[in-house]
Amino acid sequence: MENVTSLQTFLLILFLSIMLMILISIKWISFHSKNNKNLPPSPQKFPVIGNLHQLGSSPHRTLQAMSQKYGQLMLLNFGSVPTLIASSAESAQEIMKTHDLVFCSRPKLRIPSILFYDCRDVAFSPYGERVRQLKSFMVTHLLSNVQVKSFQNVREKERGFMIRALEDSYESSVDIGELVHSQIVKIVYKAAFGRMKDGVEVKLINLLNNYTNVLMVFGVGSYVPWLSWVDQVTGLVGKTKKAAKEFDEFLEGVIEEHVNQDGMEHSRIINEGLTFIEVLLNANKDGTMGFTIDKDVVKAILLDVFVGGIDTTSKSTEWVICELIRHPRVMKKLQHEITETVQGRSMVAEEDLEKMHYLKAIIKKSMRLHMPAPLLAPRISTQDVKLMGYDISAGTQVIINSWAIARDPNFWEEPEEFRPERFVESSISYKGVNYGWLVFGGGRRICPGIQFAGVGMELAIANIVYKFNLALPKGLKPEDLDMSEKFSISVGRNTPLLVTISPRF
Ligand code: HEM
């Protein structure tokens, strides 16, 4: 009996010693492999939260300031997640071009997973063959040039409503940003579903606000997994599930309507082509996609369109109007270009836009200074890679500070100046080929909605500027316009853009 006990004790000690040796070896190996690695510079971090406390309310600005101290590539810790911040055109090019395949995946975060059907959409989905095909379907069938052109009727009709609303506001100040937003909501919704019943606009705006509110919150669980319970206790998970459920019920209702013939017929009367929902539902019938998509994926893609397409477009349009008000010389020159092109017709038509090079330059210039997405959606490295001499491990989150890049004095002459003339001559395009300006991102993850957003912004701005003179209320001078921004999923103005309107003709 005594022999058995001492044998057990011996085995226990042996087991514990082996475990201790394994632990020491793991620590030793990880310590040495870390030390042998050439990591990007890192600011001091706190235990558990890492550098999260340093981000502040305008992370793109804070990270820009940090990059001036630590360099174009720096390694932070968001909780326990190593996060690489790229703040130069050169580093963005390395990430989005040279090593695009390594960096084109997205981290699967808890809040987007709840909101976007387990990240089965395009924007939040990790990269793979499924998302590659879905995105290619989006680009060639949902948001192609032909498809975007087919919504011309919708855009011109909504432009008419917006102009009439502005005409009704002569003599009083009007929140022009709100009118622009409402117009974009209706265009995107009608492109998706054709008709829009009374009350749907308000409902959709509420649902989108609920999404933005939870997407904006830094879910602790995504960055410090052992603290995930905190997101339950603070109510974040509950709020997120509620927002997802309400949007799901809304989408179910509209899709149901469209499955019956009435919905389809109606949408055809409004649009010349097919609505998004028709394209998506037909894809399964005629096998366009090469694989079938279930209803959750259809809803997830519609969410990408609403969440990714509405606020970004309307906020960008609003920023352009701000810059025009602040720069009367530019406004005058643009009014001249439009008046020359339109030649006495009552409204600007889409066909006119091609000739308006100054308008296009103004929009690009404004979007360089005011980016709705100043930090590009996070990516994640899928394998170990050498990046500009640094060792980047698989599983590193990557954030490109496109706001800092667009203001980099090494890349841009007088980066803070608003001089659209420079953009008229340059061949710089929205497409992200020039890594100094990534307003729509780049590489495999580039925004598929560039064409859709571009024509919507151009048409709205051209018509407003053609029909009206804009001024600030209460005798405020252009230079008094408050330009402070509010950081959110898309960055807009901090205060409403109130203007007074008078007719030009
Ligand atoms: C001014 C308007 C817009 C801006 C500034 C904008 C900007 C962006 C940016 C910066 C990205 C991330 C790119 C990257 O990670 O490299 C993105 C992705 C995306 N955008 Fe847009 N966007 C706009 C309009 C739209 C519209 C109108 C739609 C749809 C109708 C749309 C749908 C998407 C989708 C689905 C993605 C995800 C692409 C992917 O992850 O592969 N966006 N957008």
Side-chain angles (χ1 to χ4, degrees), residues 127-154:
Y127 199 72
E129 187 50 22
R130 186 195 75 90
V131 79
R132 193 192 66 73
Q133 290 198 33
L134 263 188
K135 179 144 185 205
S136 147
F137 175 81
M138 259 186 128
V139 171
T140 49
H141 295 280
L142 220 55
L143 295 162
S144 65
N145 287 355
V146 175
Q147 182 70 4
V148 170
K149 176 100 183 93
S150 79
F151 300 128
Q152 179 167 351
N153 278 351
V154 180

Side-chain angles (χ1 to χ4, degrees), residues 193-261:
F193 293 117
R195 66 175 154 187
M196 189 174 208
K197 289 183 184 164
D198 286 347
V200 167
E201 185 190 344
V202 176
K203 172 94 186 151
L204 181 59
I205 291 175
N206 277 337
L207 292 169
L208 285 170
N209 284 343
N210 295 343
Y211 257 51
T212 309
N213 289 343
V214 286
L215 270 171
M216 265 309 290
V217 181
F218 239 72
V220 178
S222 295
Y223 296 101
V224 191
W226 62 271
L227 286 178
S228 337
W229 55 270
V230 173
D231 295 333
Q232 297 277 1
V233 174
T234 56
L236 176 63
V237 171
K239 239 166 124 182
T240 309
K241 285 185 177 164
K242 186 165 176 276
K245 185 168 176 286
E246 285 173 359
F247 220 137
D248 179 72
E249 284 166 2
F250 172 77
L251 290 173
E252 279 286 336
V254 212
I255 292 173
E256 195 55 42
E257 260 176 42
H258 279 265
V259 172
N260 73 53
Q261 204 51 32

Side-chain angles (χ1 to χ4, degrees), residues 24-36:
I24 290 170
S25 327
I26 290 174
K27 271 271 171 218
W28 191 87
I29 289 166
S30 93
F31 175 80
H32 280 269
S33 59
K34 231 185 222 167
N35 277 353
N36 287 336

Side-chain angles (χ1 to χ4, degrees), residues 96 106 122-123 135 138 143 304-305 308-309 312-313 316 367 372-373 376-377 379 439-442 444-449 452-453 457:
M96 292 174 155
R106 303 267 193 228
V122 170
K135 179 144 185 205
M138 259 186 128
L143 295 162
D304 272 359
V305 169
T312 45
T313 312
S316 301
M367 290 181 87
L376 298 186
R379 292 154 185 252
V439 66
F440 289 100
R444 284 173 171 79
R445 285 297 186 165
I446 194 168
C447 173
F452 190 96
M457 286 191 283

Side-chain angles (χ1 to χ4, degrees), residues 298-326:
V298 169
K299 289 183 281 187
I301 290 177
L302 289 168
L303 278 175
D304 272 359
V305 169
F306 291 133
V307 177
I310 292 178
D311 275 10
T312 45
T313 312
S314 66
K315 285 174 179 170
S316 301
T317 310
E318 198 180 355
W319 283 121
V320 177
I321 298 172
C322 290
E323 290 296 359
L324 286 171
I325 293 174
R326 271 162 40 98

Side-chain angles (χ1 to χ4, degrees), residues 477-495:
K477 295 196 195 87
E479 57 272 25
D480 295 334
L481 181 60
D482 171 21
M483 293 292 279
S484 55
E485 57 187 29
K486 187 173 172 195
F487 189 82
S488 183
I489 287 303
S490 38
V491 176
R493 286 176 52 79
N494 195 27
T495 52

